Amino acid sequence: MSVCTYTVPNYFIPGVYNPTCMFTPTKPMYCRYVNITIPSDWMKHVIGSNGYYFYVITHQSNVSYIWYHSHVKMIEVWATSYDALNDAENRLINRMNHICLRMLYKNGMIDNDGKRIEKVKWSDIEEDVDVE
């Protein structure tokens, strides 16, 4: 009797989705999905050029893998401990909040103090009346 099996490559390739590359029989892996809190087109700033910020968050929080699923608007995080998952989730949320504030400031929707700028309508402007 013969058995055919498919083996998944067990090596990491940057930019290619393959979370199975970090599985070993001796260490348990935990996964968490983080909802994105900003528009999808801003996620490129969260991820960074060539995944720079995901790479930094991966190493700082000691997780094994971070991947953004654009079709479901979620970030997948893999780690060997719940503490690392929590740390990575907090760092990702902080990064999204930072990008959100930066984009709102850049687009003129908030000022330097983080206060919302009210748009002035022409109907709100009172005309100067010359009083003699």
Side-chain angles (χ1 to χ4, degrees):
M1 181 166 120
S2 64
V3 177
C4 294
T5 60
Y6 172 72
T7 321
V8 179
N10 199 18
Y11 51 88
F12 177 71
I13 302 171
V16 176
Y17 180 70
N18 183 14
T20 58
C21 68
M22 73 227 150
F23 290 127
T24 62
T26 58
K27 64 179 179 177
M29 296 297 292
Y30 305 101
C31 179
R32 179 171 299 166
Y33 290 89
V34 179
N35 290 320
I36 65 166
T37 58
I38 61 174
S40 297
D41 54 333
W42 293 358
M43 279 304 291
K44 62 184 175 189
H45 302 289
V46 174
I47 296 168
S49 178
N50 294 322
Y52 175 79
Y53 292 107
F54 271 18
Y55 180 82
V56 169
I57 292 171
T58 298
H59 288 280
Q60 287 178 344
S61 59
N62 200 27
V63 296
S64 303
Y65 202 84
I66 298 178
W67 189 264
Y68 172 57
H69 295 283
S70 59
H71 59 287
V72 291
K73 297 176 177 59
M74 297 186 93
I75 301 170
E76 180 180 343
V77 183
W78 287 86
T80 57
S81 73
Y82 287 116
D83 290 336
L85 281 177
N86 292 333
D87 187 25
E89 181 178 19
N90 290 333
R91 289 175 190 271
L92 289 165
I93 290 170
N94 289 339
R95 178 78 185 147
M96 286 186 276
N97 290 340
H98 170 75
I99 294 300
C100 184
L101 287 174
R102 193 174 84 185
M103 296 301 282
L104 292 174
Y105 175 73
K106 179 181 172 185
N107 293 331
M109 299 176 81
I110 60 172
D111 62 10
N112 289 335
D113 299 327
K115 295 179 183 170
R116 184 171 183 259
I117 297 174
E118 295 291 332
K119 299 289 183 184
V120 178
K121 300 177 188 172
W122 284 107
S123 61
D124 294 340
I125 299 175
E126 296 179 10
E127 293 183 28
D128 290 336
V129 178
D130 291 335
V131 179
E132 294 181 27

